[in-house]
Amino acid sequence: MSLDEAAPRYGYIWEYRSDADPWDTERVPQWTQYSSATSLAIENAKNQQSKEIFIENNYRIDLEKYVQQHTIDLH
């Protein structure tokens, strides 16, 4: 079984909020699924009680606060 098939089969799909302005409370949230391979990596890190995971060389996910941060973001 490939990684892309694994996540949905085991019942978890990780998503991120992909609105133009995710902090705008007036808009309906828009969510986008991570790839199955990325979802599997996040789920494995969470199950291993990791505090964070780095994905796609550009993003850090805080697994305690459930926040994704662009690693090049200077703010």
Side-chain angles (χ1 to χ4, degrees), residues 14-46:
W14 284 82
E15 299 176 319
Y16 61 93
R17 189 157 174 192
S18 55
D19 309 32
D21 181 2
W23 306 112
D24 183 353
T25 58
E26 301 292 318
R27 302 180 87 179
V28 175
Q30 186 174 33
W31 295 91
T32 301
Q33 292 180 3
Y34 288 104
S35 70
S36 294
T38 300
S39 284
L40 182 60
I42 296 167
E43 187 70 14
N44 286 341
K46 179 182 164 290

Side-chain angles (χ1 to χ4, degrees), residues 20-69:
D21 181 2
W23 306 112
D24 183 353
T25 58
E26 301 292 318
R27 302 180 87 179
V28 175
Q30 186 174 33
W31 295 91
T32 301
Q33 292 180 3
Y34 288 104
S35 70
S36 294
T38 300
S39 284
L40 182 60
I42 296 167
E43 187 70 14
N44 286 341
K46 179 182 164 290
N47 289 338
Q48 294 171 3
Q49 298 180 338
S50 298
K51 293 183 180 190
E52 64 185 8
I53 183 173
F54 291 86
I55 59 170
E56 301 174 11
N57 297 324
N58 295 324
Y59 297 96
R60 173 188 167 270
I61 299 175
D62 182 321
L63 293 171
E64 294 178 325
K65 297 178 183 174
Y66 297 105
V67 174
Q68 174 180 289
Q69 176 185 25

